[in-house]
Amino acid sequence: MTETEANRQSAQIQIRAARTLDELRPLVALQQAYWGDDSESVIPAHMLFSLANNGGHVLTAYDADQPVGMLVGFLGTNMDDERRPAMANLQIVSKRMVVLSDYRSSGIGYRLKLAQRDQAMAQGVRLIVWTFDPLLSRNAHLNIRKLGAISRTYMPNYYGTADAGGLAVLGSSDRLAVEWWVTNRRVEERLFGTRRDLTLDQYMSAGTPILNPTTQAGAFAHPQDAVSLPPQTSLALLEIPLDYDDMIAADPDLARAWRDHTRGLLRQMFNFGFVVTDFLRDQLDGRARGFYLFSYDGPQYETLTNYVN
């Protein structure tokens, strides 16, 4: 699909909240079109109804009267400090987004998230949270680059290791925790294009190090055995493959190696006080590559150097 075709398709899509059982029942079939018949993967209509009518939302993308995408969210609270009142930690938990395969790459997921942002601001909630697999570059591009979300938390095997429900792949279900501070000026600048995003070349020209530059062998990029974690830098780039989905099917051993490699690096960088603040897809050394940008937000360098040493 060309960019013009994608834009035309997105323009004809209407997004609105579904609340009645008649509106919500077709969304069960929509989920099944993506997840199959696994009962663990499909939210039933009665549960969608309870969510949609008790502070949550089921935002639905329609092509004419046909639902082609959906996004489920509900009001929740951060439980890190249970002594604090729930209202002090109020957030929207974004739990499920599905877009039919024929409608992907046309901006529908992005529009659903913008509608969710509107929902949060209407309810006076500043934070939307969700999780995603850090090796899925398309999700990273949407969540971090386009929406302006950040991540500071890595959760190994968040959904366990069983393959039931499609939550674990090749025996792991690692996730990044996403924080989308919807009223933050940085998010608004990213959404409305009021500040130009830096390119990979600009970061490289400024001396931003790549922690794990890959090598190309056959169809896929391979991770480095040896990596460097520079303590005295404010920015760093971490590379991931752009085609992890294809790699899972074609070379599962390599996919597992990438999981182990990025699990260690991401956890170390978060422990050192870095935060994921951007995702870049660009050409480097004659091939398409993808990088998380880390920005330092931890203790002073002297403290960090002592910690690393």
Side-chain angles (χ1 to χ4, degrees):
M1 181 184 299
T2 67
E3 183 176 352
T4 300
E5 290 170 335
N7 291 337
R8 186 183 301 116
Q9 185 183 70
S10 180
Q12 70 188 24
I13 301 299
Q14 300 297 314
I15 294 176
R16 60 182 184 268
R19 291 191 175 89
T20 70
L21 278 171
D22 286 343
E23 292 173 315
L24 295 165
R25 286 192 184 98
L27 302 185
V28 176
L30 176 65
Q31 295 174 81
Q32 290 171 330
Y34 182 81
W35 293 101
D37 294 327
D38 191 320
S39 61
E40 192 171 321
S41 301
V42 177
I43 306 174
H46 68 85
M47 183 61 71
L48 292 174
F49 181 79
S50 295
L51 289 170
N53 290 280
N54 291 278
H57 50 267
V58 183
L59 301 171
T60 308
Y62 291 92
D63 185 352
D65 294 327
Q66 176 68 30
V68 297
M70 61 182 288
L71 174 61
V72 180
F74 58 89
L75 286 171
T77 186
N78 187 300
M79 299 295 290
D80 289 344
D81 185 353
E82 296 184 5
R83 297 169 298 178
R84 295 189 68 191
M87 285 295 295
N89 297 313
L90 199 62
Q91 59 192 18
I92 285 179
V93 181
S94 186
K95 178 56 183 170
R96 167 67 52 83
M97 183 161 70
V98 177
V99 177
L100 292 180
S101 58
D102 289 345
Y103 289 83
R104 289 178 203 155
S105 302
S106 60
I108 292 174
Y110 179 71
R111 290 181 57 196
L112 284 167
K113 295 302 291 186
L114 293 186
Q116 188 174 56
R117 177 177 182 264
D118 292 340
Q119 180 81 20
M121 292 191 296
Q123 292 179 301
V125 180
R126 297 182 303 150
L127 175 63
I128 303 176
V129 299
W130 65 94
T131 65
F132 77 98
D133 186 333
L135 283 170
L136 297 181
S137 61
R138 281 191 179 185
N139 292 14
H141 177 72
L142 172 62
N143 297 334
I144 307 298
R145 181 68 166 185
K146 293 191 68 176
L147 296 176
I150 64 170
S151 179
R152 65 180 93 233
T153 305
Y154 191 91
M155 299 177 293
N157 290 326
Y158 183 61
Y159 292 109
T161 57
D163 289 340
L167 295 172
V169 177
L170 299 179
S172 66
S173 61
D174 292 17
R175 297 292 188 269
L176 284 183
V178 171
E179 302 173 24
W180 195 25
W181 296 91
V182 295
T183 59
N184 183 276
R185 187 179 73 176
R186 178 181 166 278
V187 170
E188 292 179 345
E189 290 173 341
R190 184 64 58 83
L191 295 179
F192 304 120
T194 54
R195 185 174 67 180
R196 188 177 59 159
D197 293 325
L198 297 181
T199 65
L200 178 62
D201 183 63
Q202 288 171 313
Y203 282 115
M204 299 288 291
S205 297
T208 305
I210 299 175
L211 303 177
N212 61 333
T214 63
T215 57
Q216 187 77 18
F220 301 112
H222 287 241
Q224 291 259 23
D225 291 332
V227 298
S228 58
L229 295 175
Q232 296 191 6
T233 183
S234 59
L235 299 172
L237 294 162
L238 186 149
E239 187 167 359
I240 67 168
L242 292 177
D243 45 11
Y244 184 69
D245 277 336
D246 295 334
M247 188 186 298
I248 290 170
D251 194 339
D253 288 339
L254 180 59
R256 291 187 186 95
W258 265 110
R259 177 69 70 201
D260 293 340
H261 173 78
T262 52
R263 177 186 286 176
L265 273 175
L266 284 161
R267 295 178 78 180
Q268 284 180 295
M269 292 299 286
F270 289 142
N271 287 339
F272 291 162
F274 286 84
V275 178
V276 169
T277 56
D278 204 352
F279 183 76
L280 300 99
R281 298 186 306 197
D282 211 335
Q283 293 285 322
L284 182 64
D285 297 333
R287 53 193 173 97
R289 298 166 72 174
F291 300 89
Y292 285 109
L293 176 73
F294 280 95
S295 301
Y296 186 68
D297 191 36
Q300 295 300 308
Y301 290 136
E302 293 82 3
T303 303
L304 183 61
T305 303
N306 292 335
Y307 172 71
V308 174
N309 293 336

